[in-house]
Structures are given as C-alpha cells and as structure tokens.
Amino acid sequence: MRPTVHDIAAEAGVSLATVDRVLNARPGVRRKTVDKVQAAVERLGYVRDVSAANLAKKRTYPLVFILPEGPNSFMRGLEAEIRAAMQRSPVERTAIRIETVPPFDPAAIVGVLDSLDPAEVNGVALVATDTPDVSAAVDRLVDRGVHVATLVSDLPGSQRIHFCGIDNLAAGRTAGGLIGRFCNGRAGKVLVVAGSMKLSDHMDRASGFAAVLRSEFPDLEIVGPVETNDDADTVRQAVTAALDAETEIIAIYSLGAGTRGLIEALPDREQRKLAVVAHEVTEHSRQALAEGLFDAVINQDCGHEVRSAIRVLKARADGLMPISAQERIRIDIFLKDNLP
Amino acid sequence: MRPTVHDIAAEAGVSLATVDRVLNARPGVRRKTVDKVQAAVERLGYVRDVSAANLAKKRTYPLVFILPEGPNSFMRGLEAEIRAAMQRSPVERTAIRIETVPPFDPAAIVGVLDSLDPAEVNGVALVATDTPDVSAAVDRLVDRGVHVATLVSDLPGSQRIHFCGIDNLAAGRTAGGLIGRFCNGRAGKVLVVAGSMKLSDHMDRASGFAAVLRSEFPDLEIVGPVETNDDADTVRQAVTAALDAETEIIAIYSLGAGTRGLIEALPDREQRKLAVVAHEVTEHSRQALAEGLFDAVINQDCGHEVRSAIRVLKARADGLMPISAQERIRIDIFLKDNLP
DNA sequence: CTGTTAGCGCATTCAA
DNA sequence: TTGAATGCGCTAACAG
C-alpha cells in the first residue's frame, strides 16, 4: 500500500495540515518541522496522489492556444485538434481558449501575449514567428508566472519550457536524403520553396536540406529558397516562373505551406519528370501523393502536438516531469503506400 | 459546473446509493426507479468523474503482458518499455506482470493464457503467433471476462478487443515503394527475408511488399521469402547463400528480426551495391543505417505500443472508449537523416 | 507556527 | 427495494 499524508503525519509526529503545507511549499512552518516532514516523506517514499489532490482542489487548468488565422490547411487542422481537446475538457480538467492572430504578424502575437492575465491563465501554447519582440513578450509572460510552450515553430532564444514540434533540421535533412535518392545520380537543380524565413521551422528545414545536398549529393544544386508567405497563389506563380526559367530543375522541395499552388504549377509528368517532396499531409497533398504527383510528404502529427502541449503544460503546472519519450514528435514520412 | 451524483439524486428524487446502483448497473432497483435516474442523467448531461470513482474504489488495474523470451533486440526493447510502465504503476494505478514464453511456441502461450485467473487479472496484452490454438485460448479468456489486446502481431480471427501495432500490410507496401524507388528503374531480383509465416505481421508485410512490386515495379522479381525464425545466424547463412546463388539480386527486404545476421552477410558496398530495407530500429540497425549499409529502416514505436495497450485495456475495464487517433501506431520510416 | 474539521465526487457498507 | 452514513487521499478554511 502506498503511503498517504496520514502516514507522513504520523511518522513525522505532526498534523495533516502541516504535512500539506510542507508538501505544497506553503509558508508558515518552522524550518525544523519542514525537515521532519521531508525526512518522513523520504523514509516512506511518499508520492502524492495527483488525482486525489485535483479532486480536493477542484482544479482546472486554464490554457490558451495562439495560432495564425487564414486558409492554411495545416493550421486549420491544428485548430481542429485543439477543438477536439476542448471536447475532452471536462475529463482532463482543462479550460482551453483559442486566440487567432493574422499570420506573419509578430506585433499581433505580442499583443495577445501581453494581454494575458496570469491570474486567469495557467499555460500558453503558441505558433510563433521567431522574432526578438515575440521572444521578449514570451519572456515577460514567463516572468509573470505563466508557462509557455512553442508549437510547430520554435523560439530557441526564449524562456519557453518546451517545444511541441519536430526537429526541423532533421526534417530538412530527411527531405534532402529522399530527394537525393529519388534523383539517383542525375545531376541538376533543386528548387526550394519556403514560406518565410521569419519562421524558425522553415529556416531549419532549409539548412538541413542544404547541408545534406552539399555533403552527399554534390551534383544537385539548390535554386532558392524562394519565399511565398505560405500563400498558394504566390507559390504557384513562383514555381511556374522558376520552372520556365531553369530547365535543369529536376526536383522540388516545398518546405512550407501553399501546397495547392505547388500542385497547380506542376507540369505533366509525361513531359517533365520531377522528384517532389512537400510538408504536411492535407487534403491536397494526400491526393497529390496518391496520384504520384508528389513522391513523399513529410508530416508532423498535429493531434500529437496538441495533446503533448496540454500534457506538458499541465505537468508543469503541477511541478511534474512528463514522460519525455511520449512528448517527442516524430518526423512522419508518407509515401503513397503508407498514407493513413 | 459539471453535474454530480448529488445533482442526479436530487433531480430524480432518490438517494445517492440508488443513483450509484443505476450508474453501475447493479441489481436491486425497480425498473421504474432506474428509468427516473437515467432520465435525470440524460437531462443534466451527467458524466462520471473517473478519477473520483477510482479514488473511492481504490481501484487498480492488474494487467499481464505476454511476450517471447530470447535475444531478439526488438522484444527486449519492448520488455524495457513495459518495465518503464511498471515504474509508473503507482501513478497510473496499474499492477503489471510480465510473462515470457519461448519464441514461436503457440503451446506455451496457450498455457499461460489458460492459467490466468479472471478474478486476479483485468486485461492481457500479448505478442502472439497467429495459430488456431492461440486464437481459441484468447477467445476462452475473453469469455471468462478478461480483456485481451494483441501487441505487435495481430490475431485477426480472435475476440481480442484491440491490436496495438502497425498496419503491416501498409508497412510491406511502404518497403516495396522504397525499394522500388531506390532501385530506380534497374531490373533484377529482390531477396525477401522473413522470420516466420506463423506471425501475422510477417505474413502481412510479405503480401504488401509483393503487391507493390507486382503492380508498380514489374522489373523487380522476388526471391523468397526465406524463413529464419528470426535467428541471426540463420539469417546470415540464408542471405549469404542467396547472394552467392543469385547474382542478379540488387535489393534485400528483411521483414523480420535477426538483423545482426543480415548485416554480417552484406557484401562490401564497393563490390556490390544493394538497396536494403529492414525493420525495427535497434542498436544494430541504427549503426547500419548510419554507415550507409541500410537505406531505410521501418520502425514501430514500442513505447507507444505499450502505453497504448495500457490505455486501451484500462479504458475497456472502465467501459470507456479511448481517443482512437492517439492509439494508431505509426509506420515510422527512418533514413540516416532522421534517426532519433 | 500548528492542529481540527469539513468537504471534493464517488462507492460501499449496514440498516431499514 | 431504498437510504444514511462513512471513507478514499488530499486541500482549505478556520481556530488555537
């Protein structure tokens, strides 16, 4: 039988309330008494029953998710997962609020961050542009006692407690390895299409990709990256223009969004064979994969990311450590053969 | 505020005990009263607070894991994950026992299954050979009221409530797609090495692989599958013999274990270039990937599988449905670039 | 500074 | 067939 607060109280020769004070690091206990209780905890190997504590506290975890608005399919999928988590709120004792901001607008993110009341919010998960002002706003919020986790795109210089997303450097390398093998010895150029270099995930993917091509596939030369702000029409125009201008392009790596535009710009496979790797499984990319227009799609499971963010933020609010292996978001590679 | 049993009792005009009887489908309540309570539940939208219930019940979930003993790295990794879950037992209210049986020994599995006492065991997760006797034993156990989940390899004809593993048909297809692309137009033979066709996961992978080669890469001809009982020495001998006998082999798909033997049998890459795809990230396969000996490794996250099995079995014991997306085990594809 | 007491939402005796 | 009372492990007033 696991020891309880009663056992600790008896062992330490104090009352329940005192034990509770020590366990929750509340003031008003003599140094001497604190030590006695902690010794008893050690001796009996006590671990607090979190669900009993939560029951007594009627605890809920007020959480805020900040993400870009707009037509980006991936972001809308992310939002859907957050809404799914909201459905489970009664069971998970969460109270989740979603704040959407215009995409690529650091000031808007800062505005939301600064408007948050630490008394009303326990944790924040946000999809952020990696800019100094956002980093500073995150740090301010952390200083005010709110736990912050980054989602999808990281803020490496900030005080965020956790990044819920994939290793984007490795994702870029993976794309490089895939495209290199798919081109299989042919020499030529690879067009790289990105959303914005203000996003650390896009930056990392581009670096990882370039590193692998440079070291392992020196016959492939990078064109770009061209920035499209993740807008489908811009992507379409950019890709069309590049393919017209450079006849030696034999592959495309699209590391951002706007996948619909990419698909529209792709020439008929019969007339020009291109190895294509893109990111995120969405309605569009799924179909492109199935039709053989894309060779591979690299994906991050946004459901996993949302659930992980919630677990991490809750655990942190309770001062616990989450199961780290469970919080590692995988780089999913989809071919048409393993599409879920 | 969520309604509680008190609210239901008041709404239905009965006592707490009666509400509890109805909620837990215990006998000794008039039909009429049952209806009143159920109506109140509907009206207020009551959902039971599982953690409060578990606290009151001092509930624990006694679970048994059955898996093969022996040197198979993947199985030992699986066992390590189960032991990690045992560490979390106090928090998760589980009481986990591991039973190991000789590999490829249906009778041993049946023996363990039949020895289980439904009064002492809540759920069972097992790695099973897909043979009729094991299926029958699983069904007997289910009939005695124990929930059974299959782990890694499924028992499609049985009454198991859930399969905690990957879609092995899709995994085989994926391997086919990968090898097909890596061979890139070259014609030749592909050696398929399997553990045992008594395992449904191996069967499925072989079928999926063959299907893709047939439809998409007709220039590749399958040699095998050769069965090795997942023994490294047997794998080594079989692969060496095949490579000597068939000079047209240009690729190898190893869909079972004994990966160490495969690595030992692989010729120097300079003298003979082979596309190689194997399963499961282990110490050996990880190194082979890093060195460029393997082109890709298909993996299933056994930590995820174990945690999923526990969640599913617990949920089932409480009569709940788990989050299905969370229980889908991914087909992980690792190149050397995205090795974790 | 410390202890007593009354719940949190639910399950389970024991009476009636 | 039903209800009242007690306790699970923990927290939070309120006294002392």
Side-chain angles (χ1 to χ4, degrees), chain B residues 72 84 98 122 137 245 255 268 315:
Chain B
N72 184 326
I98 298 179
N122 228 289
L255 58 79
D268 195 44

Side-chain angles (χ1 to χ4, degrees), chain B residues 15 17-18 21 28-30 33 55-56:
Chain B
S15 78
T18 301
R21 290 187 185 100
V29 186
R30 254 192 323 186
T33 318
L55 174 60

Side-chain angles (χ1 to χ4, degrees), chain A residues 280-291 294 297 339-340:
Chain A
E280 314 313 349
V281 172
T282 61
E283 190 190 339
H284 298 116
S285 65
R286 172 186 297 271
Q287 196 182 344
L289 209 46
E291 290 173 357
F294 287 2
V297 170
L339 221 38

Side-chain angles (χ1 to χ4, degrees), chain B residues 14-280:
Chain B
V14 297
S15 78
L16 280 186
T18 301
V19 171
D20 185 68
R21 290 187 185 100
V22 175
L23 289 178
N24 294 293
R26 271 189 284 270
V29 186
R30 254 192 323 186
R31 186 56 211 267
K32 195 99 197 273
T33 318
V34 173
D35 292 341
K36 271 201 305 192
V37 173
Q38 275 169 347
V41 167
E42 286 293 318
R43 224 170 313 133
L44 302 188
Y46 170 84
V47 283
R48 167 217 252 97
D49 182 330
V50 183
S51 46
N54 283 347
L55 174 60
K57 265 191 292 210
K58 293 156 66 60
R59 194 192 207 314
T60 58
Y61 303 81
L63 266 26
V64 174
F65 278 80
I66 307 176
L67 71 166
E69 60 201 23
N72 184 326
S73 298
F74 174 74
M75 290 303 166
R76 299 289 66 80
L78 191 68
E79 183 170 350
E81 289 292 346
I82 300 170
R83 296 197 184 282
M86 292 168 79
Q87 299 289 314
R88 297 191 299 272
S89 274
V91 175
E92 299 182 349
R93 302 188 121 86
T94 53
I96 297 174
R97 203 176 78 211
I98 298 179
E99 295 279 355
T100 56
V101 293
F104 306 109
D105 185 348
I109 301 177
V110 171
V112 173
L113 252 18
D114 283 338
S115 75
L116 262 24
D117 180 357
E120 290 177 342
V121 177
N122 228 289
V124 174
L126 81 164
V127 181
T129 52
D130 185 12
T131 48
D133 48 352
V134 175
S135 247
V138 164
D139 289 354
R140 278 196 297 279
L141 196 56
V142 170
D143 287 343
R144 292 194 289 149
V146 178
H147 302 293
V148 178
T150 45
L151 200 58
V152 179
S153 192
D154 198 10
L155 232 39
S158 71
Q159 302 293 318
R160 95 283 187 281
I161 54 165
H162 190 80
F163 168 51
C164 310
I166 59 173
D167 176 342
N168 284 294
L169 207 58
R173 282 202 308 268
T174 305
L178 249 15
I179 282 194
R181 280 156 205 266
F182 291 166
C183 289
N184 213 25
R186 287 204 291 158
K189 296 186 177 176
V190 182
L191 175 63
V192 175
V193 184
S196 165
M197 289 302 149
K198 276 197 290 194
L199 298 171
S200 75
D201 53 347
H202 290 197
M203 275 296 292
D204 287 348
R205 290 173 193 172
S207 319
F209 186 78
V212 165
L213 286 212
R214 202 181 317 117
S215 68
E216 290 182 49
F217 304 98
D219 291 341
L220 297 176
E221 183 195 333
I222 290 178
V223 175
V226 294
E227 281 185 79
T228 63
N229 268 2
D230 284 347
D231 176 66
D233 291 333
T234 312
V235 171
R236 181 172 40 71
Q237 289 160 18
V239 172
T240 304
L243 287 177
D244 286 346
E246 309 256 15
T247 53
E248 294 146 333
I249 290 179
I250 58 171
I252 302 180
Y253 175 37
S254 170
L255 58 79
T259 300
R260 184 174 52 73
L262 170 61
I263 294 171
E264 289 166 2
L266 246 31
D268 195 44
R269 266 170 304 157
E270 307 309 317
Q271 48 188 85
R272 188 168 180 182
K273 197 176 173 310
L274 292 169
V276 180
V277 173
H279 273 263
E280 314 314 347

